[in-house]
């Protein structure tokens, strides 16, 4: 599906057009596996775009391509009016001011041998902030994600998954970015922790006007978090629209199947959905 | 599988050519005057030159190497400069000694370390501690020191085994056994220690795998789980260490053969390298590299057989 | 033999293969402090460090300490015993053994130092570069390394001696080159692993230069293993050098431990004790090095304390109740016929000798034909409860109190053999992670037929027929072909079906399913849930479904029990618990569910938004 010009806002912060990414096949002569097959999307300043799909759909690769962590075969990625899909190392380092990430796994996204303070100061050092100022900023950052100030001196393993994810969010915010790629930021967390981390992300967006590309497999999370939702399947965006519309009146069969397959915590409602799913599958 | 073996043999052949070339080049560099060495200080220069010419040493090194390679491919490894023996025959005559040593060590290592390693990994506790101490001792003591101690105790003091000499198997199997026992034991200490640790670690690792729990939940007896599933999955890492030990064993054989006065490849290496007898050194280097390549191939084939995932890759 | 250069993973527990001995069930004790302090806390580590320091000091100060010139011989004093001017006696040429020992240490350790230096300089930077950048350099370097590693060090050293002459320094340089691959492989392997870590990606996104990333994230990881490898390679270098000297092809006249041993060996019949001192010096040095490496490794593992897998690890809880509680089992008539749990406690031993309770007084019933959900967050003890019922608690864990009856029969305290009889046949298990629960080395068919043959005692042919039927039962297309496949050749969803087929193989009455759909995509999850529902209906199975997903509970379960920190906080019919929860924790849990939360309203330009706010 392509985005028509009418849908493409002129004021987009991030604009992705016809993006293709592939990885080498397993054997030596095996053909390359195409992970993204011409993806288009836009994110406006302060907007959350939810990108929802199953494992292997290419949703994580899309985020990584925007961050320059996955090689782009063809297509364009434009950030604030500038082409960044072929940006060099030096330009990438500068871009890190505006473009940040929160990864899925809070257990491996923090270096286990660095203190929280060192981890949070990392992006600051990269951009020539003095050690003293960095220390002050680290205190502010911890405060912003509701962690105690003494956390700076401790190591990641002293924290729970939810707390680590707060640290990861604080790291992403350190440089006051304009867009944060959130790659399944709550999938590894328990239900009750999940909610508090999502609330924190919303609160930060409200305060700073940051935009999110929110990648997840969970429709209920994406619906709660996103202004707009894009559904990705086998490397293609099959449906885009407002969160409410896509998650209640999906147009595409795949979106509908995905929606009906996710069980809800209500016995009667779940029974109804199960029947609906069976009916739509039998159709 | 055949494809894999063919590819590996081709890679091994390439390795042989590269190593032989480098060895030949390096061995030919020094200014030792072979002719002078053979004929003695008293010989006149013309005779020395003639000798060198007859050995082909007056030609460029590359030409010498090409010549050597061409003959080696046909199975002719040349003649020793110092003894005029045919190198192939000389090496072949000594191979059985070293081969029985290697075979013995591999056998002892495999049996002992799998038994001890599995036992330690499954039972833990006291056995485990013994195995770990053994691992440290075996790893810490230089092999020849272990050998010296064994000689001192079993040959000099107790007089159970001869301290020196070798009896071919064809001559007297009993004599062969008694001359080979101490050397094999000395070489086995370190390799048992290493492989045993590896088996133990792998067994503990596999026992913690989810599928072992699932197998238990299926009601299978513990012995069956250990001997079928754990052993098979733990064997692959142990085998690769066994393969790596082999390279070291060749080095160890040099010392052990020297100490026990065994007429094998190892003691041959000491004698002939000291004299700079290039045809013999080349043959010995080739032989060891072929041995290493073959052992690695064997290990890889066995790992492929044990682990279907490695087979696919 | 220790002449072998360590090939990345010389033995279990040495750097390449970190041994994972630390109990998996517990969070490693939180300890801070430098590596040095941790090392010294380990008695073996402190001792070996002290021995090494002493040896190095003795070698450095040899010219001052040695009572005599090591080369001064007096044939009249040959084979003199200890005492007088010769504290350790004299050798065959009447030379003072103590002086030779001290000077020998100087030469031996000095030689090892050369080899180590060369190996480090060659191996570490190239390993860093190859591991971090990969590509052509990596491929070329690996080829060279494979080549060098195919060469037996002793043979090469002998050949080198033929070329270079009897110069110890030159030989040790060669040895350094031969040892470099072990550093290269070690460093390259670690760096290649670190390079793909998410925290390195995060550092890249943070705008750090490659040099900075290597300095901050890579060196810190490489440092420890390299130090360990230094200790090991030093031991090997010393051993090899001594071996060369022993063969009499080292430096010639200079005193070294190897040369002393050679001399002793020549006189083994006459004065066997000559071997004692150089042998002791050599053995002590190498043992100290290996033990030091071991202590360093333990210290590192202690610190790295890789985060325990969050789901699998049972968490530590606040209050400790080490006493064994014997449950009041109540009226047996209250207890369900199929599975009944009363007052179950499960504990893991603590390092301090106490117990850490992860399940604390759980009551639970499953009747025939009923699906009961056991729901809770990670660390709630739900999986431990399931394992206790099956009798497959991980190492260290045990039931410390309470009662579990299966079909009316008490199973707590039952001998393993009788317990095994229940598993598979009466109680079966469906695990969480489909891939890791199939043995990678055996085909699907062999794994399915194994319990049929060895638990039910069917013939090979009969078992194969039944296995195909089972695969059909779990709706796997073309079962005959799937039988011949290996686990890595099938998808996660299919693997979970195979595991369910395996659980059904001995026709159980009770199925314990531990998060059976957590690792699957929602559409596959829906299929698996349908399959479980059908099996339960067709066969009258009782199912205990462990899950964290309230949607899955609503979909499948008749009744549900909510678990928190080892206790059941609320139980009842699924409808009642989800609709009108009584316990505060259950309410928190349900409150966190986003199903009913309104969708976020569409985006508005910043100005419009502030106007409406």
């Amino acid at each position: 599906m392509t985005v028509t010009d009418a849908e493409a806002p002129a004021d987009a912060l991030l604009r992705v057009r016809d993006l293709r990414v592939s990885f080498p096949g397993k054997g030596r002569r095996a053909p390359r596996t195409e992970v993204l097959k011409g993806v288009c999307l836009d994110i406006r300043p302060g907007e959350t775009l939810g990108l929802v799909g199953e494992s292997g759909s290419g949703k994580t690769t899309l985020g990584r391509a925007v961050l320059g962590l996955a090689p782009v075969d063809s297509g364009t990625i434009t950030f604030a009016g500038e082409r960044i899909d072929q940006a060099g190392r030096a330009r990438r380092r500068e871009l890190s001011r505006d473009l940040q990430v929160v990864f899925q796994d809070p257990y491996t996204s923090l270096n286990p041998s660095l203190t929280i303070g060192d981890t949070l100061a990392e992006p600051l050092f990269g951009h020539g902030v003095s050690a003293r100022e960095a220390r002050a900023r680290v205190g502010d950052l911890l405060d912003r994600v509701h962690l105690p100030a003494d956390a700076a001196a401790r190591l990641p393993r002293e924290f729970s998954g939810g707390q680590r994810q707060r640290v990861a969010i604080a790291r992403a915010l350190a440089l006051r970015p304009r867009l944060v790629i959130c790659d399944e930021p709550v999938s590894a967390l328990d239900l009750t922790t999940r909610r508090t981390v999502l609330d924190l992300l919303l609160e930060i967006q409200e305060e700073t006007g940051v935009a999110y590309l929110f990648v997840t497999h969970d429709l209920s999370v994406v619906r709660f978090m996103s202004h707009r939702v894009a559904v990705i399947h086998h490397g293609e965006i099959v449906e885009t629209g407002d969160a409410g519309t896509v998650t209640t009146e999906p147009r595409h069969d795949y979106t509908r199947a995905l929606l009906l397959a996710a069980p809800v915590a209500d016995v009667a409602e779940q029974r109804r959905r199960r029947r609906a799913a069976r009916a739509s599958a039998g159709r | 599988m055949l494809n894999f073996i063919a590819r590996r043999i081709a890679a091994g052949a390439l390795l042989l050519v590269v190593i032989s070339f480098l060895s030949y080049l390096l061995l030919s560099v020094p200014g030792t005057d072979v002719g002078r060495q053979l004929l003695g200080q008293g010989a006149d220069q013309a005779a020395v030159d003639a000798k060198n010419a007859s050995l082909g040493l007056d030609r460029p090194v590359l030409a010498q190497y090409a010549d050597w390679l061409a003959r080696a491919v046909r199975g002719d490894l040349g003649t020793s400069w110092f003894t005029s023996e045919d190198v192939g025959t000389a090496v072949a005559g000594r191979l059985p000694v070293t081969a029985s040593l290697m075979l013995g060590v591999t056998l002892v290592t495999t049996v002992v370390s799998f038994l001890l390693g599995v036992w330690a990994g499954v039972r833990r506790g006291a056995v485990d501690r013994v195995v770990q101490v053994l691992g440290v001792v075996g790893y810490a003591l230089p092999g020849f020191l272990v050998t010296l101690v064994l000689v001192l105790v079993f040959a000099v003091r107790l007089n159970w085994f001869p301290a020196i000499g070798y009896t071919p198997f064809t001559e007297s199997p009993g004599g062969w056994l008694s001359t080979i026992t101490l050397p094999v034991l000395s070489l086995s200490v370190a390799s048992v220690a290493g492989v045993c640790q590896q088996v133990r670690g792998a067994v503990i690792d596999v026992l913690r795998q989810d599928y072992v729990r699932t197998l238990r939940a299926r009601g299978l007896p513990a012995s069956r789980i250990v001997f079928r599933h754990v052993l098979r999955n733990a064997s692959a890492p142990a085998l690769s260490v066994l393969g790596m030990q082999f390279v070291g064993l060749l080095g160890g054989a040099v010392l052990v053969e020297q100490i026990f006065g065994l007429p094998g490849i190892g003691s041959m290496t000491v004698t002939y390298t000291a004299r700079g007898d290039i045809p013999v050194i080349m043959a010995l280097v080739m032989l060891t590299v072929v041995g290493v390549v073959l052992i690695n191939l064997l290990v890889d084939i066995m790992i492929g057989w044990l682990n279907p995932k490695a087979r696919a890759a | 033999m220790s002449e072998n250069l360590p090939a990345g993973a010389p033995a279990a527990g040495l750097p390449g293969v970190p041994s994972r001995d630390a109990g998996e069930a517990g969070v490693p004790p939180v300890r801070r402090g430098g590596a040095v302090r941790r090392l010294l806390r380990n008695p073996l580590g402190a001792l070996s460090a002290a021995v090494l320091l002493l040896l190095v000091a003795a070698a450095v100060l040899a010219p001052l300490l040695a009572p005599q010139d090591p080369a001064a011989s007096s044939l009249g004093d040959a084979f003199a015993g200890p005492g007088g001017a010769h504290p350790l006696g004299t050798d065959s040429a009447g030379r003072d053994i103590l002086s030779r020992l001290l000077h020998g240490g100087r030469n031996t350790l000095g030689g090892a130092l050369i080899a180590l230096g060369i190996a480090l300089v060659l191996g570490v930077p190239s390993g860093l570069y190859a591991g971090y950048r990969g590509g052509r350099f990596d491929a070329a370097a690996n080829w060279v390394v494979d080549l060098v590693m195919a060469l037996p060090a002793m043979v090469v050293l002998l050949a080198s001696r033929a070329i270079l002459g009897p110069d110890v320094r030159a030989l040790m340089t060669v040895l350094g080159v031969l040892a470099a691959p072990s550093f290269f492989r070690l460093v390259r392997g670690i760096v290649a692993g670190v390079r793909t870590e998410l925290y390195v990606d995060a550092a890249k996104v943070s705008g750090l230069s490659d040099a900075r990333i290597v300095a901050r994230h890579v060196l810190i990881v490489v440092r420890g293993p390299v130090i360990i490898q230094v200790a090991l390679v030093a031991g090997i270098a010393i051993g090899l050098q001594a071996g060369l000297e022993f063969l009499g092809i080292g430096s010639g006249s200079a005193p070294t431990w190897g040369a002393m041993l050679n001399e002793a060996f020549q006189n083994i019949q006459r004065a066997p004790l000559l071997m004692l001192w150089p042998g002791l010096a050599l053995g002590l040095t190498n043992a100290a090095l290996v033990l030091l490496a071991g202590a360093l490794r333990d210290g590192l593992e202690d610190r790295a304390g890789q985060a325990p897998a969050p789901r699998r690890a049972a968490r530590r809880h606040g209050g400790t109740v080490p006493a064994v509680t014997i449950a009041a089992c109540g009226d047996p008539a209250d207890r369900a016929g199929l599975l009944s749990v009363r007052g179950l406690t499960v504990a893991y031993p603590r390092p301090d000798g106490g117990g850490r309770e992860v399940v604390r007084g759980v009551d639970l019933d499953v009747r025939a034909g009923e699906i009961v959900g056991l729901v809770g967050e990670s660390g709630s003890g739900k999986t431990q409860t399931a394992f206790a019922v099956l009798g497959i608690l991980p190492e260290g864990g045990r039931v410390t109190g309470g009662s579990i009856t299966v079909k009316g029969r008490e199973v707590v305290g039952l001998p393993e053999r009788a317990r095994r009889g229940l598993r598979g046949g009466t109680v079966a298990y469906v695990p969480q992670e489909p891939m890791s629960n199939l043995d990678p080395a055996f085909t699907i068919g062999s794994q399915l037929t194994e319990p049929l043959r060895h638990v039910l005692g069917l013939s090979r042919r009969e078992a194969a027929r039944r296995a195909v039927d089972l695969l059909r039962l779990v709706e796997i297309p073309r079962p005959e072909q799937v039988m011949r496949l290996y686990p890595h050749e099938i998808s996660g969803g299919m693997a979970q079906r195979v595991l369910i087929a395996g659980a059904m193989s001995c026709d159980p009455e009770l199925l314990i399913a531990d998060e059976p759909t957590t690792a699957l995509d929602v559409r596959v999850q829906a299929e698996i849930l349908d399959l479980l529902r059908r099996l339960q209906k067709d066969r009258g199975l009782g199912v205990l479904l462990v899950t964290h997903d309230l949607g899955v509970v609503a979909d499948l379960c008749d009744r549900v029990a909510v678990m928190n920190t080892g206790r059941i906080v609320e139980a009842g019919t699924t409808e009642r618990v989800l609709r009108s929860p009584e316990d505060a924790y259950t309410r928190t849990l349900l409150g966190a569910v986003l199903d009913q939360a309104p969708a976020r309203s569409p985006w508005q330009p910043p100005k419009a938004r502030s106007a409406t706010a």
Side-chain angles (χ1 to χ4, degrees):
Chain A
M1 156 148 191
T2 52
V3 180
T4 61
D5 277 337
E7 280 177 78
D11 52 352
L13 177 66
L14 179 78
R15 170 171 300 186
V16 176
R17 285 293 174 274
D18 200 30
L19 183 68
R20 285 170 193 277
V21 174
S22 64
F23 292 115
K26 264 184 188 161
R28 213 184 287 171
R29 300 240 170 77
R32 292 175 74 85
T33 332
E34 234 188 355
V35 184
L36 294 178
K37 305 167 186 168
V39 166
C40 302
L41 52 81
D42 289 285
I43 302 177
R44 290 167 287 194
E47 185 186 35
T48 302
L49 176 72
L51 183 64
V52 68
E54 293 180 303
S55 54
S57 61
K59 57 185 191 301
T60 292
T61 305
L62 178 50
R64 291 181 67 87
V66 172
L67 292 165
L69 297 174
V72 172
D73 288 355
S74 68
T76 62
I77 302 173
T78 316
F79 181 79
E82 179 201 358
R83 278 279 297 268
I84 60 165
D85 42 89
Q86 304 298 339
R89 282 164 191 272
R91 181 65 197 127
R92 272 282 161 203
R93 282 209 288 282
E94 289 165 35
L95 272 173
S96 64
R97 234 176 228 296
D98 291 325
L99 204 52
Q100 276 299 325
V101 65
V102 177
F103 286 112
Q104 167 175 7
D105 188 346
Y107 291 89
T108 57
S109 67
L110 303 178
N111 187 336
S113 45
L114 290 185
T115 63
I116 301 301
D118 283 343
T119 294
L120 289 181
E122 186 162 83
L124 301 174
F125 288 149
H127 289 84
V129 176
S130 74
R132 168 184 293 199
E133 203 199 326
R135 212 170 306 131
R137 291 264 287 274
V138 165
D140 290 347
L141 286 167
L142 286 171
D143 191 46
R144 160 160 291 165
V145 297
H146 312 308
L147 284 174
D150 68 349
R154 295 197 272 158
L155 290 172
R157 71 188 152 111
E158 297 175 49
F159 295 88
S160 70
Q163 289 170 320
R164 289 182 198 214
Q165 206 56 307
R166 286 170 187 275
V167 173
I169 292 171
R171 172 175 56 193
L173 293 175
L175 294 168
R176 304 190 182 108
R178 292 202 271 170
L179 173 67
V180 176
I181 313 287
C182 301
D183 184 7
E184 303 251 19
V186 295
S187 302
L189 305 181
D190 272 326
L191 198 55
T192 47
T193 325
R194 186 177 292 189
R195 181 65 184 264
T196 56
V197 169
L198 292 177
D199 284 340
L200 175 68
L201 285 170
L202 287 176
E203 178 191 318
I204 287 166
Q205 186 167 52
E206 202 60 41
E207 283 170 18
T208 64
V210 64
Y212 293 137
L213 174 61
F214 198 95
V215 178
T216 182
H217 70 279
D218 190 327
L219 272 162
S220 67
V221 169
V222 89
R223 168 187 156 89
F224 179 72
M225 287 300 291
S226 321
H227 298 104
R228 281 190 306 129
V229 171
V231 182
I232 186 167
H233 183 46
H234 291 327
E236 288 172 272
I237 305 269
V238 296
E239 178 161 5
T240 327
D242 289 339
T245 319
V246 172
T247 57
T248 49
E249 302 149 29
R251 279 175 294 158
H252 198 279
D253 283 347
Y254 175 73
T255 317
R256 197 171 301 123
L258 214 53
L259 206 58
L260 290 174
V264 296
D266 182 299
V267 177
E269 168 66 10
Q270 176 57 21
R271 199 176 297 139
R272 193 191 65 71
R273 292 170 62 119
R274 203 160 61 222
R275 285 208 196 97
R278 217 167 279 153
S280 101
R283 216 175 32 181
Chain B
M1 198 67 201
L2 280 176
N3 196 354
F4 165 79
I5 295 174
R7 237 182 309 133
R8 287 294 299 268
I9 289 177
L14 182 65
L15 190 74
L16 270 177
V17 171
V18 172
I19 288 184
S20 67
F21 177 68
L22 289 177
S23 311
Y24 206 97
L25 217 59
L26 288 172
L27 286 166
S28 308
V29 162
T32 44
D33 191 338
V34 179
R36 171 72 60 195
Q37 226 173 313
L38 284 169
L39 299 177
Q41 291 304 323
D44 66 86
Q45 192 55 42
V48 169
D49 288 345
K51 186 74 193 168
N52 279 338
S54 77
L55 293 173
L57 292 174
D58 55 341
R59 298 192 299 143
V61 175
L62 280 183
Q64 289 180 45
Y65 171 71
D67 196 35
W68 176 87
L69 187 66
R71 275 188 290 140
V73 169
R74 274 179 273 128
D76 175 10
L77 293 167
T79 49
S80 160
W81 288 347
F82 291 84
T83 62
S84 306
E85 286 172 282
D86 178 62
V87 175
T89 320
V91 169
R94 285 162 171 258
L95 198 56
V97 182
T98 309
S100 30
L101 209 56
M102 294 289 148
L103 219 62
V105 176
T106 310
L107 205 70
V108 169
T109 305
T110 314
V111 172
V112 175
S113 47
F114 269 81
L115 277 177
L116 272 183
V118 171
W119 194 8
V122 172
R123 286 291 173 80
R124 309 300 291 271
V127 192
D128 194 18
R129 246 159 283 145
V130 169
V131 166
Q132 280 183 289
V133 169
L134 190 86
V136 172
V137 171
Y139 206 72
L141 297 183
F144 77 98
L145 199 59
V146 175
T147 314
L148 291 182
V149 173
L150 286 177
V151 169
L152 199 60
V153 175
F154 291 103
V156 176
R157 280 290 142 100
L158 298 173
N159 220 358
W160 288 0
F161 301 100
I164 206 159
Y166 177 75
T167 313
F169 185 81
T170 44
E171 218 168 85
S172 146
W176 174 79
L177 198 64
S178 80
T179 49
I180 207 84
T181 304
L182 270 188
V184 165
L185 280 185
S186 343
L187 278 173
S188 298
V189 171
S191 60
V192 164
V195 179
C196 188
Q197 291 272 324
Q198 186 67 45
V199 173
R200 169 193 170 274
V203 164
I204 290 174
D205 216 42
V206 175
L207 279 173
R208 288 190 181 146
Q209 295 295 313
D210 287 348
Y211 57 79
V212 170
R213 185 173 53 222
T214 301
L215 289 167
R216 284 176 66 202
R218 295 265 185 279
L220 289 173
S223 59
R224 193 171 169 83
I225 295 176
V226 167
F227 287 109
R228 192 170 151 88
H229 296 271
V230 175
L231 199 60
R232 177 150 181 181
N233 281 290
S235 293
L239 271 179
S240 53
V241 168
L242 197 65
M244 283 184 225
Q245 295 265 358
F246 184 81
V247 187
L249 271 183
L250 289 171
V254 171
L255 280 157
V256 165
E257 287 181 10
Q258 196 72 0
I259 291 173
F260 287 100
L262 302 181
I265 299 292
S267 52
M268 188 180 189
T269 313
V270 178
T271 324
Y272 285 83
T273 45
R275 287 194 295 223
D277 196 336
I278 292 186
V280 181
I281 301 176
M282 286 301 291
L284 291 171
V285 170
M286 291 302 98
L287 185 68
T288 49
V289 174
V290 167
V292 170
V293 166
L294 283 183
I295 289 289
N296 282 341
L297 180 63
L298 204 65
V299 166
D300 282 346
I301 290 173
M302 289 206 298
I303 287 176
W305 174 72
L306 287 167
N307 178 359
K309 223 170 170 176
R311 216 179 304 161
Chain C
M1 177 155 264
S2 54
E3 275 78 6
N4 189 4
L5 292 167
L14 296 173
V17 190
S19 72
R20 286 198 250 132
D21 281 14
E24 61 154 22
V27 178
V30 176
R31 262 192 266 151
R32 304 286 298 276
V36 176
R37 210 180 323 149
R38 266 194 312 276
L39 178 67
L40 296 182
R41 209 182 286 120
N42 179 338
L44 269 182
L47 185 71
S48 44
V51 167
L52 279 180
L53 267 180
L54 217 66
L55 283 164
V56 170
V60 171
L61 302 175
L64 299 175
L65 293 175
Q68 290 171 23
D69 180 353
S73 66
S74 65
L75 287 174
D77 284 341
F79 299 117
H86 306 293
L88 301 179
T90 60
D91 65 7
S92 60
R95 294 172 295 196
D96 182 50
I97 289 184
L98 179 62
S99 304
R100 288 184 71 73
L101 207 58
L102 288 166
H103 280 275
R106 201 179 160 82
N107 294 334
T108 305
L109 297 182
L113 211 62
I114 296 176
L116 262 184
I118 302 271
L120 278 172
V121 166
L122 288 179
V124 174
S126 57
L128 275 175
Y129 191 81
Y132 193 74
R133 278 290 166 80
R136 253 183 231 149
F137 176 79
D138 187 29
N142 269 310
W143 198 83
V144 173
V145 161
D146 282 347
L147 189 144
V148 174
M149 285 188 112
L151 295 169
M154 185 54 92
V155 176
V156 175
L157 285 171
L158 287 173
S160 311
R161 187 194 175 271
I163 302 166
L164 303 168
D167 179 354
V168 177
R169 273 186 216 135
L171 286 183
M172 287 295 111
T173 308
V174 172
L175 181 56
V177 173
L178 291 174
S182 70
F183 284 104
F184 172 85
R185 279 208 176 164
L186 177 75
V187 171
R188 183 192 167 274
I190 296 172
V191 174
V194 170
R195 189 181 55 168
T196 59
E197 288 282 355
L198 280 179
Y199 62 75
V200 170
D201 280 344
K204 278 186 197 155
V205 174
S206 290
L208 264 64
S209 63
D210 283 345
R212 212 157 180 150
I213 292 176
V214 168
R216 276 177 79 86
H217 295 286
V218 177
L219 283 183
I220 205 168
V221 187
V222 170
R223 199 180 49 189
V226 166
I227 293 174
I228 293 168
Q229 189 81 342
V230 163
L232 294 172
V233 171
I236 288 158
I238 291 172
L240 266 172
Q241 191 210 18
L244 283 173
E245 300 282 358
F246 178 78
L247 289 175
I249 44 177
S251 49
S253 58
T256 60
W257 293 343
M260 290 174 78
L261 278 169
N262 181 19
E263 205 254 349
F265 184 62
Q266 308 296 333
N267 300 293
I268 194 165
Q269 300 286 353
R270 181 161 175 198
L273 267 184
L274 279 183
M275 251 156 69
L276 178 67
W277 296 109
L280 205 61
L282 205 55
L284 205 62
T285 312
N286 274 13
L289 282 168
V290 169
L291 288 173
L292 189 71
L296 279 168
R297 187 193 67 225
D298 291 349
L300 274 180
E301 278 184 2
D302 187 14
R303 189 199 49 169
Q306 297 296 320
R311 241 176 250 295
R312 217 169 297 161
R315 295 275 165 82
R316 189 190 299 251
H317 297 298
T320 65
V321 195
V324 174
T325 52
I326 301 299
C329 292
D331 183 1
D334 290 350
R335 304 186 65 169
L338 187 54
L339 171 70
S340 172
V341 177
R342 288 293 178 275
L344 177 72
T345 60
V346 174
Y348 283 84
R350 249 194 233 276
D352 61 17
R356 176 169 51 91
E357 290 202 330
V358 294
V359 176
R360 305 186 282 176
V362 160
D363 296 351
L364 202 65
D365 286 287
V366 180
R367 297 181 189 85
E370 181 185 49
I371 304 186
V372 177
L374 185 59
V375 67
E377 297 187 297
S378 54
S380 62
K382 55 188 194 301
T383 295
Q384 297 298 318
T385 305
F387 286 167
V389 170
L390 283 157
I392 51 169
L393 283 167
E395 227 175 293
R398 62 195 184 93
V399 173
T400 51
S403 145
I404 302 169
T405 57
V406 174
K407 292 176 79 185
R409 183 178 178 200
E410 179 63 53
V411 298
V412 173
L414 213 57
E416 172 63 19
R417 182 175 273 277
R419 200 75 199 268
R420 206 178 65 222
L422 285 174
R423 287 199 291 261
T426 310
V427 190
Y429 168 64
V430 178
Q432 168 176 356
E433 201 50 69
M435 278 312 176
S436 66
N437 277 289
L438 290 169
D439 186 337
F442 293 88
T443 60
I444 304 298
S446 124
Q447 296 190 55
L448 277 179
T449 52
E450 197 175 7
L452 293 170
R453 297 186 59 207
H454 295 273
V455 177
L456 293 187
L458 299 184
S459 72
R460 182 184 289 269
R461 179 183 286 176
E462 180 65 10
R465 211 181 49 75
R466 273 283 285 278
V468 170
D469 286 348
L470 283 167
L471 289 177
R472 231 171 247 136
L473 176 74
V474 295
E475 295 154 12
I476 287 181
R478 283 174 310 207
E480 288 86 358
Q481 281 168 40
V482 173
M483 291 277 283
R484 285 193 295 272
L485 296 180
Y486 283 96
H488 70 271
E489 296 169 318
I490 63 177
S491 71
M494 196 185 277
Q496 192 58 292
R497 285 172 192 275
V498 168
L499 282 162
I500 293 175
M504 299 305 294
S505 60
C506 301
D507 212 2
E509 293 165 57
L510 173 65
L511 203 61
I512 311 248
D514 181 17
E515 305 255 16
T517 57
T518 302
L520 307 173
D521 276 325
V522 279
R523 290 185 304 159
V524 184
Q525 163 171 289
E527 290 168 20
I528 297 288
L529 291 177
D530 278 339
L531 172 64
L532 286 173
R533 195 182 352 262
R534 212 198 69 219
L535 287 174
Q536 178 264 332
K537 227 173 250 160
D538 293 354
R539 310 207 155 197
L541 272 180
V543 180
L544 179 64
L545 182 82
V546 176
T547 182
H548 70 283
D549 189 330
L550 292 166
V552 169
V553 170
D555 187 68
L556 203 59
C557 299
D558 302 305
R559 289 193 301 118
V560 61
V562 182
M563 241 184 131
N564 186 25
T565 59
R567 297 178 199 283
I568 303 250
V569 295
E570 178 164 11
T573 64
T574 307
E575 214 138 327
R576 204 275 297 155
V577 172
L578 294 185
R579 196 108 323 142
S580 44
E582 284 161 8
D583 180 80
Y585 176 75
T586 314
R587 277 201 291 273
T588 315
L589 214 53
L590 276 161
V593 172
L594 295 169
D595 299 337
Q596 312 297 335
R600 199 168 177 188
S601 46
W603 178 83
Q604 291 173 310
K607 269 179 209 149
R609 194 167 8 145
S610 59
T612 54

